[in-house]
Amino acid sequence: MRSKLLTVAIAAGLGLTSFSALAATPKSQPARVTVDAATLQQLQAQLAALQAKVSELEAKQEAQADAQVETAKTINDVQVAAAKPTDDLTKRLDKLAKVVDNTHVGGTMFFDVSNIDHNEKVGNARGRQVDGHGAVNGTGFDVKRFYLIVDHTFDDVWSANLTTDFNYQSTLSQTSLFVKKAYVQGKFDPLFTVRFGSADMPWIPFVEKVYGYRYVENTITDRSFEGGRSGSTATAGGVGAFGNSADWGVHALGATTGDNSINYQVSVVNGRGFRNLSRSKSVDTEARFGYSPIEQLILAVGGYTGKRGNDVENGAPTRTATRGDGLVAWRDKTWGVGLEYFHTENWDDILKYPGSGNGVGTAQGTKKDKADGYSLFADWKFYDQFAVFARYDKVDYKYTTLTNVERKLKDKYYNAGVSYDVLKNLKLALVYKHNKLDGPFATPYHYKTDEVGFWGMLSF
């Protein structure tokens, strides 16, 4: 538009210049305006040249505008291309940050430095210091447990847990690594959570939290006898524990908090514990129900029933192993006191043995067993991070031979010590332990162990 106006202006200027002389002629003498062919041709040539110049100028302006647009487009493309790797990296970092934020890695270690004095006596013979039946004389450092824990949260409902269990096996003289817990969890409500896989069982982990000194000693149902049940047979290494702390199966649990609160858990499991992922013809069930009329008072009952994984195809006939549990405890910021009780039947003698010969399996030459035990524990936080604690266990174990003769074992255990919370996640305790097992009257044997040292727990 500006070019056309310029053309018109120049043409008008040329016209005015050409006819300026005529404009100066007096009006009183009007003259006839004549333009010869040469002048007209000259004017037309000038106008054509002017139009060519204007066209050339327009072409240059359009080319310049196109160049500016192309340059702007190129700059934009470069900026987009440069920003893309940054955006991709940002997205990847955001994804990584989300994974890290939703994943917790931690661990717990139980360790000790102690001196053990183990003494054995058979019949009326003189007692002697000897290694065996779960005890090794001398002084040394030991890592009883090391748990490496990985928790990942997918959303507000679903999460997963992996917990490995490291310990030392004296029978193999080497360390072993197990998967203790590996489960997927759906938490739909505080009163309804479901876990699929190997997870905590209802009773033992619950009592451990109430007791508070698991790093010093297992609770009574999880503590193996030191000693044998039938002398020189395969069970001389110890009766074993009366429960599993974790097992493979489906677990449903829930709890409320504060006064007048409840808690529960029901687990349907394989029955052989977290170390043995085997299947059988039936599954076992363990359950717990707890009630706290006030927050500090804990009342709980529990039970177990099943074949403990022994009901296999083409296997020997089985009995049903059962266990009943009870707990009464008080725990506040200063005091803790509790009493745990259990009763079992056929816990070891699940397989039925016909005839008069020895059977094959954990319990040889016997028909059935039962046990009763209780554990009394207390602790007092008397100054800042310091506390004193003590515990006393007693177990009466009976089994019947193939000739219907009843044998009895009596196990007594106690410990006492002083604990110090070095840090929030580091506890140390100076402890003295004593354990004594008395064997059957017909072939009496007595195992006695005294141990003193430092026990500790590190968590992170």
Side-chain angles (χ1 to χ4, degrees):
M1 179 61 72
R2 291 169 57 190
S3 301
K4 292 179 179 179
L5 291 176
L6 181 59
T7 303
V8 173
I10 294 173
L14 290 174
L16 291 174
T17 303
S18 303
F19 297 105
S20 58
L22 296 175
T25 305
K27 294 181 179 180
S28 57
Q29 296 178 359
R32 193 173 191 179
V33 178
T34 59
V35 180
D36 57 19
T39 301
L40 181 60
Q41 186 177 5
Q42 183 181 3
L43 289 176
Q44 289 176 342
Q46 291 177 349
L47 182 59
L50 180 60
Q51 287 177 341
K53 291 287 185 180
V54 171
S55 298
E56 182 181 357
L57 180 61
E58 286 180 342
K60 289 182 178 181
Q61 286 181 335
E62 290 178 358
Q64 184 178 7
D66 291 341
Q68 291 176 345
V69 172
E70 188 65 27
T71 301
K73 184 177 181 301
T74 302
I75 293 174
N76 182 68
D77 291 343
V78 171
Q79 290 176 339
V80 171
K84 187 175 181 180
T86 304
D87 292 342
D88 291 342
L89 180 60
T90 301
K91 291 179 180 179
R92 292 180 182 180
L93 291 176
D94 289 343
K95 290 181 180 179
L96 180 61
K98 186 177 180 180
V99 171
V100 172
D101 292 341
N102 293 336
T103 303
H104 171 74
V105 179
T108 300
M109 180 173 68
F110 301 153
F111 60 92
D112 67 81
V113 180
S114 67
N115 177 268
I116 295 178
D117 180 11
H118 178 69
N119 188 282
E120 296 187 3
K121 179 181 177 180
V122 179
N124 295 323
R126 186 176 181 179
R128 61 193 181 96
Q129 192 178 54
V130 61
D131 294 341
H133 303 114
V136 178
N137 288 281
T139 303
F141 177 83
D142 194 10
V143 176
K144 294 292 181 64
R145 283 291 185 273
F146 189 95
Y147 303 113
L148 183 61
I149 306 163
V150 180
D151 279 306
H152 180 74
T153 301
F154 298 103
D155 55 33
D156 293 337
V157 175
W158 294 100
S159 61
N161 175 281
L162 173 64
T163 301
T164 60
D165 180 15
F166 158 91
N167 68 344
Y168 176 78
Q169 287 189 319
S170 59
T171 55
L172 300 177
S173 297
Q174 66 182 26
T175 57
S176 298
L177 181 65
F178 301 94
V179 173
K180 181 171 185 178
K181 290 186 280 188
Y183 62 82
V184 176
Q185 173 179 286
K187 187 173 183 180
F188 305 97
D189 187 86
L191 278 173
F192 185 63
T193 297
V194 180
R195 294 172 178 172
F196 304 92
S198 180
D200 284 339
M201 292 291 281
W203 189 254
I204 291 175
F206 175 78
V207 178
E208 287 177 352
K209 292 179 182 179
V210 177
Y211 172 45
Y213 287 87
R214 167 61 184 87
Y215 68 97
V216 174
E217 190 63 74
N218 306 63
T219 58
I220 189 171
T221 51
D222 194 31
R223 184 175 67 86
S224 296
F225 273 61
E226 181 196 298
R229 191 179 73 170
S230 40
S232 61
T233 68
T235 61
V239 169
F242 294 98
N244 294 315
S245 59
D247 206 342
W248 295 88
V250 181
H251 312 259
L253 61 151
T256 58
T257 59
D259 296 341
N260 201 35
S261 61
I262 64 170
N263 64 81
Y264 79 94
Q265 183 175 336
V266 179
S267 296
V268 180
V269 295
N270 290 347
R272 287 189 175 271
F274 63 89
R275 289 184 176 89
N276 192 331
L277 186 57
S278 61
R279 63 177 61 194
S280 62
K281 293 168 62 177
S282 61
V283 292
D284 295 6
T285 302
E286 181 172 308
R288 181 201 76 245
F289 179 80
Y291 173 62
S292 294
I294 58 176
E295 187 175 4
Q296 296 81 3
L297 181 61
I298 302 135
L299 308 173
V301 294
Y304 186 103
T305 181
K307 308 290 186 177
R308 298 187 62 202
N310 289 281
D311 188 16
V312 297
E313 198 69 40
N314 300 320
T318 59
R319 300 181 181 89
T320 299
T322 60
R323 191 188 76 236
D325 306 290
L327 175 69
V328 179
W330 174 277
R331 180 158 295 284
D332 56 30
K333 295 181 179 179
T334 304
W335 291 92
V337 61
L339 174 64
E340 179 187 3
Y341 171 80
F342 79 91
H343 172 81
T344 65
E345 292 188 9
N346 302 317
W347 194 258
D348 295 307
D349 294 302
I350 296 174
L351 302 181
K352 295 180 180 179
Y353 302 137
S356 58
N358 287 339
V360 291
T362 303
Q364 292 190 12
T366 59
K367 296 175 65 175
K368 58 183 178 180
D369 66 82
K370 63 180 179 179
D372 292 276
Y374 67 86
S375 177
L376 178 63
F377 56 88
D379 58 86
W380 172 42
K381 187 176 182 180
F382 62 91
Y383 181 77
D384 289 340
Q385 300 123 302
F386 289 90
V388 292
F389 60 90
R391 171 177 153 188
Y392 178 81
D393 293 1
K394 183 178 180 182
V395 178
D396 290 327
Y397 184 93
K398 301 176 182 178
Y399 63 94
T400 305
T401 67
L402 294 175
T403 56
N404 289 323
V405 177
E406 186 177 77
R407 304 292 190 214
K408 296 181 181 180
L409 296 177
K410 291 185 177 181
D411 180 82
K412 293 181 181 179
Y413 167 88
Y414 58 81
N415 69 41
V418 180
S419 66
Y420 172 56
D421 296 344
V422 183
L423 301 169
K424 184 179 180 180
N425 59 342
L426 176 61
K427 299 177 182 293
L428 293 177
L430 174 63
V431 189
Y432 169 71
K433 298 181 180 183
H434 175 82
N435 186 205
K436 183 180 180 182
L437 184 139
D438 296 320
F441 176 77
T443 56
Y445 53 87
H446 310 279
Y447 303 150
K448 184 177 70 172
T449 304
D450 293 287
E451 186 175 9
V452 62
F454 288 93
W455 276 258
M457 179 177 70
L458 174 67
S459 58
F460 58 90

